[in-house]
Amino acid sequence: MKIQAVKGTRDFYPPQMRLHNWILEGWKEVSLRNGFEEYDGPIFEHLKMYEQKSGEEIAEQLFSFEDRGGRGLAIRPEITPTLARMVNQRINALPKPIKWFSVPRVCRAERPQKGRLREFYQWNIDIIGVEDIVADAEVILCSVDYLRQTGLTEKDIVVKISSRKMLGKLLEACEIEQELHTGIYAALDKKAKIPEDAFEKLLEEKLPDQDKREKLLEIFATKQLSDLQENLQYSSEAAEAIDELIRLFSLLKSMGISEYCEFDIGIVRGLAYYTGTVFEIHDREGELRAICGGGRFDSLLKDFGGPSIPATGMGMGDCVLEILLREKGIISEEMPKPPVNYFIAVMDDELVETAAGLAAKLRLAGLSAEFSYKKAKMKKLMKQASETGAEKSIILGGEYIENKQIVLKNMETSEQRTVDYKQFCDELKYSEPNQENSEK
């Protein structure tokens, strides 16, 4: 029986793995550059943790099971609840602020579609212990820093920013009951994805009162923060939340990334734990799902039994990102292999063991090396060497058999010279690991 990969998962053959590693290594490099430390947690947690804290959408997408003791467990659909649990366990010992990042593999039991799979990788960065909006600005900066590093510009991507706190205060100012807020957020989250009449119908289901609904539609039509500030009547608490967003945009301008950022009142994020600033990064054409999203979740640690402590962060999945990078021509399957320092060409079958031993000596000296497993003609061997991307070739043939000498060939210039095998190996003993012996 021929077995296929499970729908919604991916096989990473070597060319795809090179692309995958390029993305993940970039995430790690930028995280470290921005002052974040790496962490990770278990691939499964107690089921109740996700059911209670991740919001209805995530809870419905869990791969869950019972262990042998009858305990309900679930494969992680995200890592933020794990972060909260881990921080709470050592809250008094951890220095503040906490700036952590992770690149977990996560799973969600949903219908696979473009940019959304059942199994994927997600880059998470979080700052815990900073109440000021400057932490939110730093999270956005780090996200944009990575995307800029890949080659994407402000013409390719846009950071859409809003505030759950501001929306909540505006709903209160419109005298909309607290119990209706979650449903309105869910409707607003779909606004950009469905036709206008479908959105109005959905909003009517969530908010039957026509007068209040018309007030909300007027608010939702706002394009600029200044318009919201000048033209609408709202409470002082709503005004404070708007002022906080204005300061965020000022910080982003000071950081030099304002051209990437814009206000969008329709950004609410689907997860239940967001309490303040929220943002998503999209392609400018709006043809793909969000590349990443995040915001402030000041109540999350408290919800997990810890202290009340401010927190903000973001998550970026690799699926939509890879699609966009391919469409922009930034990555392709032709990404080169890592260079090989030496390729050992065997021209006589009795020298295969010698080649294997020499390859081991080179590798133990911190150099990369490959060798041919059987003899071949020179033309074929040099083709193999070129295909590996080797910088130099070592030719084992008649010279070695007769005089214990090897031929060194520079693959770029085609220059070659004959050297004593023992002397070559003796010099390798003094090579530092992970440093290329460029004189050989």
Side-chain angles (χ1 to χ4, degrees), residues 56 78 102-103 118 120 141 150 153 156 168 176 194 201 221 243 300 320 328 343 346 386 433:
E56 182 180 346
E78 55 164 340
S102 187
V103 184
R118 291 176 175 175
F120 57 97
L141 171 67
T150 67
T153 71
D156 303 312
I176 296 172
I194 60 178
K201 184 177 180 181
D243 289 341
L300 186 63
V320 177
K328 297 297 180 181
F343 178 83
V346 179
S386 296

Side-chain angles (χ1 to χ4, degrees), residues 123-304:
W123 175 36
N124 291 82
I125 58 174
D126 296 280
I127 301 176
I128 298 173
V130 180
E131 186 175 0
D132 194 274
I133 198 77
V134 70
D136 302 72
E138 189 171 17
V139 168
I140 294 172
L141 171 67
C142 186
S143 308
V144 173
D145 185 12
Y146 168 74
L147 295 170
R148 285 181 58 178
Q149 178 171 290
T150 67
L152 295 169
T153 71
E154 69 275 12
K155 296 179 181 178
D156 303 312
I157 56 171
V158 57
V159 186
K160 299 182 176 182
I161 304 169
S162 188
S163 168
R164 282 278 279 263
K165 180 166 67 173
M166 177 193 71
L167 283 169
K169 298 305 179 184
L170 290 173
L171 294 183
E172 288 177 9
C174 293
E175 299 180 344
I176 296 172
E177 295 82 353
Q178 184 70 40
E179 58 267 22
L180 299 178
H181 289 196
T182 300
I184 293 171
Y185 291 152
L188 186 56
D189 192 42
K190 294 180 172 63
K191 187 176 186 295
K193 307 164 191 173
I194 60 178
E196 187 175 344
D197 57 343
F199 168 70
E200 292 184 5
K201 184 177 180 181
L202 181 60
L203 187 61
E204 184 177 356
E205 294 173 2
K206 306 296 183 183
L207 184 63
D209 189 301
Q210 184 176 350
D211 291 338
K212 293 180 181 179
R213 194 166 62 251
E214 288 177 355
K215 288 181 182 178
L216 269 193
L217 288 171
E218 182 183 355
I219 291 173
F220 292 164
T222 305
K223 301 297 183 184
Q224 302 290 334
L225 263 175
S226 55
D227 295 337
L228 194 62
Q229 197 175 34
E230 294 171 6
N231 300 333
L232 295 173
Q233 298 298 318
Y234 45 77
S235 68
S236 59
E237 290 179 325
E240 182 180 328
I242 293 170
D243 289 341
E244 185 178 61
L245 266 188
I246 291 172
R247 180 162 177 260
L248 173 61
F249 277 95
S250 178
L251 283 163
L252 296 172
K253 184 177 181 180
S254 297
M255 291 175 166
I257 59 169
S258 58
E259 67 272 23
Y260 287 87
C261 305
E262 66 180 38
F263 172 67
D264 188 333
I265 200 168
I267 301 300
V268 294
R269 304 295 295 140
L271 301 180
Y273 50 65
Y274 286 111
T275 59
T277 303
V278 284
F279 73 92
E280 292 179 354
I281 302 181
H282 291 259
D283 64 295
R284 281 284 184 184
E285 289 78 13
E287 296 176 354
L288 302 173
R289 304 178 64 85
I291 302 166
C292 85
R296 185 160 284 273
F297 45 95
D298 288 346
S299 300
L300 186 63
L301 270 70
K302 184 178 180 181
D303 290 343
F304 278 87

Side-chain angles (χ1 to χ4, degrees), residues 49 88 123 165 173 186 291 348 360 392 405 408 415 423-424:
M49 184 171 83
N88 277 342
W123 175 36
K165 180 166 67 173
I291 302 166
D348 192 300
K392 299 178 180 68
Q405 291 183 318
L408 294 179
E415 294 179 0
Q423 180 183 352
F424 178 84

Side-chain angles (χ1 to χ4, degrees), residues 293-411:
R296 185 160 284 273
F297 45 95
D298 288 346
S299 300
L300 186 63
L301 270 70
K302 184 178 180 181
D303 290 343
F304 278 87
S308 180
I309 185 169
T312 185
M314 78 86 190
M316 179 183 296
D318 68 321
C319 298
V320 177
L321 173 64
E322 183 176 327
I323 292 171
L324 180 60
L325 293 174
R326 285 180 183 275
E327 289 181 352
K328 297 297 180 181
I330 292 173
I331 60 173
S332 71
E333 301 297 339
E334 303 304 317
M335 292 186 76
K337 296 179 181 179
V340 174
N341 296 126
Y342 289 95
F343 178 83
I344 304 169
V346 179
M347 300 192 68
D348 192 300
D349 279 338
E350 67 181 77
L351 295 177
V352 171
E353 185 174 335
T354 302
L358 179 54
K361 288 181 174 68
L362 287 163
R363 292 166 182 169
L364 293 172
L367 299 163
S368 57
E370 293 188 27
F371 64 97
S372 54
Y373 295 109
K374 60 182 179 180
K375 75 171 185 178
K377 293 182 178 180
M378 181 64 73
K379 184 177 181 180
K380 184 175 181 180
L381 289 169
M382 292 302 99
K383 182 181 178 183
Q384 282 183 258
S386 296
E387 288 173 348
T388 65
E391 297 164 353
K392 299 178 180 68
S393 286
I394 298 174
I395 301 169
L396 290 177
E399 293 88 347
Y400 179 83
I401 295 173
E402 294 175 12
N403 303 310
K404 293 297 185 285
Q405 291 183 318
I406 59 176
V407 176
L408 294 179
K409 180 175 181 179
N410 185 306
M411 294 301 294

